[in-house]
Amino acid sequence: MGNGSKEVSPAEQHVTELNTWLNFKRLIRHAFPYRAASFFAIFCMLGYASIDVYFLSKLPALIDEGLTGKNPEFMKWAPLFVIVCFILRGTFHFLSNYCLAWVGNNVVADLRQKIFKHVMAMPVAFHDSTSTGTLISKLTFDTEQVLQAVSKSLLTLVQQGGFVIGLLFLMFWESWQLSAIFLVITPIIAVIVTIVSKRFRKISKNIQNAMGEVTSAAEQTFNGHKVVITFDGQERENDRFYQINKHNRQQRMKMVTAKSASVPIIQIIASFALAFVLYVATLDGFVDSLTPGVFMGVVTYMTMLLRPLKLLTNVNNEFQRGMAASSSIFELLDKQPEQESGDKVLEQSQGALTVRNVSFAYPNEEKLTLDNISFHANTGDTIALVGRSGSGKSTLTSLLLRFYQAQKGEILIDDTDISTLTIKSLRRQFAYVSQQVVLFNDSLANNIAYAKPEASREEIIAVAKKAHVLEFADKLPQGLDTNIGDNGALLSGGQRQRVAIARALLCDAPFLILDEATSALDTESERHIQDALTELQQQRTSIIIAHRLSTIESATNILVIDQGKVIEQGNHEVLLAKDGAYAQLHKFQFAQ
Ligand code: ADP
């Protein structure tokens, strides 16, 4: 059972309706720039409905005057009348649909752009806790739902609504007695509509969540395909997906049940109205006051009311579906993006870094991931972070880039607290080569130039040479201009890291963070790159996370971190002499 069957209290119901209204107003604001086209679309919809009503209004006259031969003029003009009506109707139909789609697609494109920008501006902590599948589903599925639902309900509401009002007017005009019977049946239909639409609202929200689950579960498994097959997880993944898939199917079936039942029920009730009219018409005296044309007219109008009424009963469901989707979108857009905490702009740092008594715990975690860390680096120094996996090394570099904010202590760049700097000017000071090299579906050259798009071809070639990228680039069909596929699928682990190093070389930042940058390199490539890295480090302050101690023997200061604390610090010789944790580690690696 999903939570769709949970009872909603009147107070909650009120809040939901209020939210729907607020969401709707907000959505309308997005359509405001396209208001002229929107009004024109509405005008054409009303035109379409008016033509239909006008056309039908001629029915009694056709029967009473035309077909009986009383008025020969009528029949003479009838063929032309039909053609003109249908030309106008077709024109209105085309224009209203076209304009509506134009407005809708513009609004959706705007929304997508906004979501895209917003998601990029969200803090790292948000991305830690939100799956990519959910975000993609909001960007594609939810926006599409808003487009479909809102344009469809607007079209039905205006076009069919106008048609119904026109027909009702005609009916009462021709015979108010017959038409009054119709009014008896209306409240009954209204009650059923309310019940069905409430059920819809609940289910459509569940479907959205269920759909997000399907995408994210599939994406996770497909991305981790190799891990799944290595650890024999097919069966488990299959079972997990089966549950999610089943849930999605059940939600959809609930929706179909509500939808399929609502239409026949409403039609059956409406048929009672028709039956009643036929009965009344047979009563003595009543039938004398009607001409055949008027009687046929009113009965036809009533029959013709069924379809638009059915469509109108669906409007609310459709509209609610769109509102559920838009509320999911607005919920995301309302999440606080990454906040600036300072407004100082730092052009180019001198390269001094001080970390003073910094403690940090991840959001919603009680345990400190970093506990009272302090160190200092002057320009050109190399700080090496050593320690077991999970000891907090990457977290420390994340704090430097302000992906997270330390709860205690301060981090200074050239004596300026980084929290007083603008995020942009802070991050500009760092070149970052992480464990997972992220590459874009673009040419090798553009991937290298990602941090400095304005770089000249010569600059790119120079760094590609230094980072030994040219070695393999020359073997590719179009050299540096070869497209490397989705996330650099064409490259090996070592090649990817060489690209990342070239990227860092190109962006001339005063600080360099290398997160196990050379871990995926074979010994041969590593030796090549080590030269380039050494040269790079000389002009910069570097923070290196290294597993292989051989690469950091010349570091100015080595911090040995264990469970978030610095347990030893000093240079290679000092630490070896101390014969503590570092010396242990060194012995161990040397033996290997
Ligand atoms: P290292 O780089 O030394 O391997 P990390 O800095 O990646 O260590 O991780 C330190 C600790 O913080 C680990 O226990 C890890 O599970 C935890 N951790 C890492 N990232 C997050 C996160 N986004 N949210 C919560 N805990 C995290």
Side-chain angles (χ1 to χ4, degrees):
M1 288 290 278
N3 55 5
S5 54
K6 221 169 49 187
E7 279 305 314
V8 180
S9 75
E12 278 175 329
Q13 177 71 27
H14 178 71
V15 172
T16 324
E17 273 162 21
L18 196 71
N19 281 342
T20 306
W21 175 234
L22 289 178
N23 275 338
F24 180 65
K25 278 209 293 194
R26 206 162 154 188
L27 200 62
I28 288 294
R29 246 177 280 143
H30 282 88
F32 193 71
Y34 314 105
R35 58 192 175 283
S38 312
F39 284 124
F40 185 65
I42 290 175
F43 170 79
C44 293
M45 292 172 207
L46 289 174
Y48 181 89
S50 310
I51 296 278
D52 275 0
V53 173
Y54 183 65
F55 188 76
L56 285 170
S57 74
K58 297 293 173 201
L59 186 67
L62 174 74
I63 296 172
D64 290 341
E65 296 172 38
L67 295 178
T68 53
K70 266 190 215 160
N71 183 358
E73 276 295 296
F74 187 93
M75 287 313 274
K76 209 169 90 190
W77 288 105
L80 185 64
F81 173 74
V82 170
I83 289 174
V84 171
C85 274
F86 273 79
I87 289 176
L88 278 175
R89 191 178 186 261
T91 312
F92 280 133
H93 175 86
F94 174 79
L95 288 176
S96 57
N97 277 297
Y98 183 85
C99 292
L100 189 63
W102 186 79
V103 174
N105 280 299
N106 269 303
V107 171
V108 163
D110 290 353
L111 270 178
R112 286 204 174 126
Q113 198 71 43
K114 220 169 162 175
I115 297 172
F116 189 81
K117 192 170 169 203
H118 189 74
V119 168
M120 273 193 304
M122 289 306 286
V124 175
F126 167 83
H127 287 275
D128 289 345
S129 61
T130 316
S131 81
T132 317
T134 312
L135 290 176
I136 291 178
S137 162
K138 279 185 203 264
L139 189 70
T140 54
F141 184 71
D142 288 1
T143 46
E144 195 62 36
Q145 289 274 301
V146 173
L147 169 69
Q148 297 293 341
V150 175
S151 39
K152 204 166 156 196
S153 39
L154 183 70
L155 187 68
T156 313
L157 194 69
V158 177
Q159 202 157 291
Q160 305 301 334
F163 185 56
V164 166
I165 293 172
L167 274 187
L168 281 174
F169 178 77
L170 265 185
M171 275 167 65
F172 277 86
W173 179 260
E174 297 290 352
S175 165
W176 67 266
Q177 295 98 326
L178 268 186
S179 310
I181 300 166
F182 182 80
L183 287 189
V184 178
I185 218 76
T186 316
I188 304 175
I189 296 186
V191 169
I192 295 177
V193 171
T194 327
I195 296 170
V196 174
S197 68
K198 260 189 201 154
R199 174 132 188 88
F200 250 82
R201 204 166 9 194
K202 275 189 210 156
I203 299 172
S204 63
K205 182 108 196 173
N206 288 349
I207 287 205
Q208 238 138 54
N209 295 342
M211 204 60 199
E213 280 172 21
V214 171
T215 346
S216 84
E219 194 180 75
Q220 206 178 342
T221 312
F222 296 163
N223 277 343
H225 175 242
K226 279 191 190 144
V227 179
V228 174
I229 54 172
T230 312
F231 293 111
D232 191 25
Q234 293 101 316
E235 204 58 39
R236 269 169 291 156
E237 292 305 322
N238 220 1
D239 288 346
R240 207 158 59 90
F241 190 74
Y242 175 76
Q243 293 303 336
I244 292 170
N245 205 9
K246 190 168 97 180
H247 182 223
N248 185 38
R249 189 199 71 217
Q250 284 166 341
Q251 295 300 333
R252 275 181 180 269
M253 284 322 292
K254 275 192 203 169
M255 178 107 144
V256 171
T257 314
K259 211 171 181 170
S260 323
S262 73
V263 175
I265 289 174
I266 290 166
Q267 283 180 348
I268 290 168
I269 290 170
S271 75
F272 277 94
L274 191 59
F276 195 59
V277 171
L278 290 171
Y279 167 73
V280 171
T282 59
L283 294 182
D284 279 349
F286 191 73
V287 81
D288 301 339
S289 65
L290 296 173
T291 66
V294 170
F295 181 78
M296 276 316 291
V298 173
V299 171
T300 311
Y301 299 156
M302 279 179 83
T303 330
M304 304 228 45
L305 273 178
L306 291 183
R307 202 183 92 88
L309 277 183
K310 184 193 100 182
L311 291 175
L312 283 171
T313 55
N314 274 331
V315 160
N316 194 34
N317 308 329
E318 195 73 38
F319 179 70
Q320 293 300 344
R321 195 160 62 88
M323 285 304 111
S326 72
S327 107
S328 134
I329 292 171
F330 290 142
E331 205 179 298
L332 170 65
L333 287 177
D334 284 342
K335 292 226 159 79
Q336 271 272 350
E338 189 166 34
Q339 293 296 298
E340 289 283 4
S341 59
D343 53 7
K344 273 192 216 162
V345 175
L346 180 63
E347 281 308 328
Q348 178 86 356
S349 155
Q350 302 301 312
L353 174 71
T354 308
V355 173
R356 202 176 285 154
N357 307 112
V358 163
S359 294
F360 171 75
Y362 277 102
N364 308 323
E365 301 274 335
E366 281 181 17
K367 202 173 151 286
L368 284 180
T369 302
L370 292 176
D371 190 354
N372 203 22
I373 305 271
S374 300
F375 66 89
H376 175 78
N378 288 319
T379 314
D381 281 358
T382 295
I383 305 290
L385 307 178
V386 178
R388 272 184 300 201
S389 149
S391 55
K393 306 178 296 289
S394 309
T395 307
L396 181 56
T397 58
S398 295
L399 292 190
L400 299 181
L401 290 162
R402 253 197 74 197
F403 288 160
Y404 307 94
Q405 178 86 44
Q407 280 97 358
K408 266 202 219 129
E410 51 188 3
I411 299 173
L412 310 175
I413 285 183
D414 306 345
D415 300 325
T416 314
D417 191 325
I418 61 165
S419 60
T420 64
L421 296 175
T422 63
I423 292 177
K424 205 172 167 171
S425 79
L426 167 68
R427 292 189 185 151
R428 208 169 45 208
Q429 311 302 322
F430 289 88
Y432 183 45
V433 182
S434 73
Q435 297 183 33
Q436 287 114 17
V437 180
V438 176
L439 298 175
F440 299 93
N441 189 352
D442 203 340
S443 70
L444 206 48
N446 285 345
N447 265 291
I448 293 174
Y450 192 75
K452 194 183 174 188
E454 72 280 7
S456 70
R457 186 75 183 181
E458 288 71 36
E459 285 178 281
I460 294 175
I461 293 177
V463 293
K465 190 157 190 246
K466 273 190 194 161
H468 298 258
V469 169
L470 278 190
E471 269 167 35
F472 65 87
D474 286 342
K475 296 194 188 94
L476 294 171
Q478 280 122 33
L480 280 176
D481 295 314
T482 311
N483 190 302
I484 54 171
D486 227 5
N487 198 10
L490 285 185
L491 305 184
S492 75
Q495 291 170 338
R496 297 164 67 86
Q497 284 205 310
R498 287 190 246 175
V499 176
I501 290 169
R503 197 187 265 170
L505 277 166
L506 184 62
C507 105
D508 195 20
F511 293 96
L512 176 71
I513 296 177
L514 297 175
D515 191 349
E516 295 179 319
T518 52
S519 63
L521 298 179
D522 49 82
T523 328
E524 186 60 29
S525 333
E526 186 180 345
R527 197 172 313 132
H528 284 316
I529 288 182
Q530 208 51 51
D531 302 339
L533 282 179
T534 314
E535 184 194 309
L536 182 69
Q537 284 165 39
Q538 269 157 13
Q539 303 134 32
R540 288 173 180 80
T541 309
S542 316
I543 297 98
I544 302 183
I545 300 177
H547 273 191
R548 282 193 260 179
L549 302 185
S550 57
T551 58
I552 52 155
E553 278 173 13
S554 58
T556 331
N557 195 6
I558 299 168
L559 308 185
V560 185
I561 301 182
D562 191 43
Q563 299 195 13
K565 290 196 179 93
V566 177
I567 52 169
E568 270 176 25
Q569 78 174 285
N571 65 23
H572 180 68
E573 286 74 28
V574 170
L575 289 181
L576 275 190
K578 220 174 184 177
D579 203 18
Y582 179 80
Q584 280 285 323
L585 225 79
H586 191 261
K587 260 184 227 153
F588 181 67
Q589 286 205 355
F590 198 67
Q592 274 190 336

